[in-house]
Amino acid sequence: MIDRLVSASHSCKHVDLLRELEPAVAVHLDRHLAAAPEWFPHQYIPWSSARDFDGPLDGEPWQPDQSPLAPAVRDALLVNLLTEDNLPSYHHEIATLLGRDSAWGTWVHRWTAEEGRHSDALRGYLHAVRAVDPMELERGRIAHVSRGFTGTYPTMAHGLAYVTVQELATREAHRNTGHACGDPHGTRLMSRIAADENLHMVFYRALCADLADLDPDGFVDAFADVVCDFQMPGHGIPGFQARATRIAAAGIYDITIHRDHVVLPLLRTLRIMERTDLGPLGEQARERLGRHLEVLEDKSRRFAELRARIGQRQTNPVPTGDKPVLPLMRDGSGAQGRSV
């Protein structure tokens, strides 16, 4: 009985907050539409580099040496694409959380339409430059999409906090992958996708700021929950941990990037550590965030030391002991994935 009453209370508060935030959603949506440029995936794919694969077309079988891209870059591109492929599940989760009516619904469908371009462009690029095994890629897509994605959002504040953190993390992952690939076509494409993710983050971040003013304690508590237990939705991809470790080792997305370019900028922009309108719940959440920042700092330092030792061993190899393995951070800072 108590559980049902608590659930009903959360439901009423959720509906009230949706209504109160609806005018802000309309404003942020108009701003987004004015800022979001029209672009076309087919214009970013180097079709002249493509050739037929083996199979019905009797083309050339894929071989690992057909692409000059570094292994870690291939890992990052594959992880990015497979997480993008799970868009149907992400749309379901966000539409369930925010609704399909009014300005909320308009945003949800627009967001999905823009996100859909990313997998189209990435798959075309990977096939054209033969960056990854196309059979492995397709089998991974089937496995990942078949598993789906289920969000754990006890409140709307948790949902908005999660997508804000995740969109910013995805922006960094895409952009850094582009910088690392050493191919101007890949750099251009990943920068274009990262720009989309940035605009999506800006939309969600603005709503987080509005929600923080409406419900300071509730939002800061939810934000602390999300940040302290963050995972990218791509963590269920087959072989994810090994790929994420190589991605982190290459400096494409690691614990330091997660802390310095995702967590700290959001804390500053949302002024979470500076608010003066918090009650006991919000203050406790802020203390949790402070402790988590200390944990991230310690992990970042140890990760840097480990990477330096590995680099030193590679320069001056010592034929004793097992090779060290770079750690995978559960909070997503040694991993990457795709947006929700």
Side-chain angles (χ1 to χ4, degrees):
M1 178 64 175
I2 292 176
D3 287 343
R4 287 200 298 272
L5 289 174
V6 171
S7 177
S9 175
H10 278 302
S11 178
C12 289
K13 184 175 183 179
H14 178 89
V15 172
D16 288 343
L17 287 173
L18 283 175
R19 289 172 178 167
E20 288 190 69
L21 284 172
E22 185 179 333
V25 174
V27 171
H28 300 321
L29 176 59
D30 286 343
R31 183 181 62 193
H32 174 83
L33 294 175
E38 183 180 48
W39 67 277
F40 303 94
H42 73 279
Q43 295 179 340
Y44 286 78
I45 299 169
W47 300 108
S48 59
S49 300
R51 55 191 186 276
D52 293 343
F53 287 100
D54 57 329
L57 298 181
D58 197 27
E60 182 181 356
W62 181 84
Q63 297 293 335
D65 61 356
Q66 290 172 343
S67 171
L69 299 181
V73 172
R74 299 186 193 190
D75 285 324
L77 289 167
L78 185 143
V79 168
N80 289 349
L81 174 52
L82 292 185
T83 45
E84 296 278 1
D85 278 329
N86 225 358
L87 182 59
S89 283
Y90 310 146
H91 173 85
H92 172 78
E93 291 297 314
I94 294 182
T96 300
L97 178 73
L98 303 179
R100 297 171 175 82
D101 301 320
S102 68
W104 286 108
T106 302
W107 163 255
V108 169
H109 293 299
R110 175 70 186 202
W111 174 86
T112 301
E114 293 181 1
E115 287 286 338
R117 296 182 296 206
H118 301 170
S119 60
D120 289 344
L122 275 169
R123 179 167 284 101
Y125 173 74
L126 292 183
H127 283 170
V129 302
R130 292 183 170 241
V132 300
D133 182 346
M135 292 184 178
E136 179 187 11
L137 183 63
E138 178 60 11
R139 288 168 181 153
R141 185 190 70 83
I142 292 292
H144 188 50
V145 176
S146 296
R147 186 177 294 116
F149 173 83
T150 301
T152 54
Y153 312 134
T155 69
M156 185 176 72
H158 285 84
L160 288 178
Y162 179 82
V163 293
T164 302
V165 175
Q166 186 275 326
E167 291 280 10
L168 184 51
T170 302
R171 182 197 76 181
E172 290 298 302
H174 282 316
R175 185 173 65 180
N176 293 344
T177 299
H179 291 331
C181 74
D183 169 32
H185 302 300
T187 299
R188 186 182 304 111
L189 172 61
M190 300 312 292
S191 295
R192 178 58 265 166
I193 294 175
D196 271 8
E197 305 292 5
N198 186 66
L199 287 173
H200 298 161
M201 180 276 296
V202 168
F203 178 90
Y204 288 125
R205 187 183 63 190
L207 281 178
C208 282
D210 296 329
L211 182 55
D213 289 337
L214 287 174
D215 182 17
D217 277 358
F219 175 75
V220 174
D221 183 56
F223 191 84
D225 286 345
V226 167
V227 168
C228 294
D229 196 33
F230 182 71
Q231 276 191 305
M232 284 294 210
H235 69 272
I237 291 172
F240 176 79
Q241 291 190 355
R243 295 183 189 281
T245 298
R246 294 191 291 267
I247 291 166
I252 294 172
Y253 197 90
D254 59 26
I255 186 77
T256 303
I257 292 171
H258 182 72
R259 181 199 65 193
D260 293 349
H261 297 281
V262 178
V263 177
L264 289 176
L266 288 176
L267 289 174
R268 286 194 297 268
T269 303
L270 295 171
R271 302 181 64 253
I272 287 177
M273 308 306 280
E274 306 166 24
R275 299 192 72 96
T276 59
D277 54 357
L278 298 179
L281 180 65
E283 291 292 356
Q284 291 171 8
R286 194 151 58 181
E287 290 175 6
R288 283 194 286 132
L289 283 167
R291 291 193 296 270
H292 184 65
L293 289 176
E294 293 176 357
V295 170
L296 290 181
E297 176 68 29
D298 182 60
K299 286 182 177 180
S300 178
R301 176 184 56 78
R302 289 188 286 116
F303 185 80
E305 291 172 353
L306 179 57
R307 185 150 53 192
R309 288 199 301 272
I310 292 174
Q312 199 170 40
R313 289 189 183 187
Q314 291 173 342
T315 303
N316 304 295
V318 178
T320 59
D322 295 330
K323 292 182 179 180
V325 179
L326 290 167
L328 172 67
M329 309 302 178
R330 184 181 182 278
D331 58 17
S333 51
Q336 60 178 314
R338 142 83 236 104
S339 162
V340 176

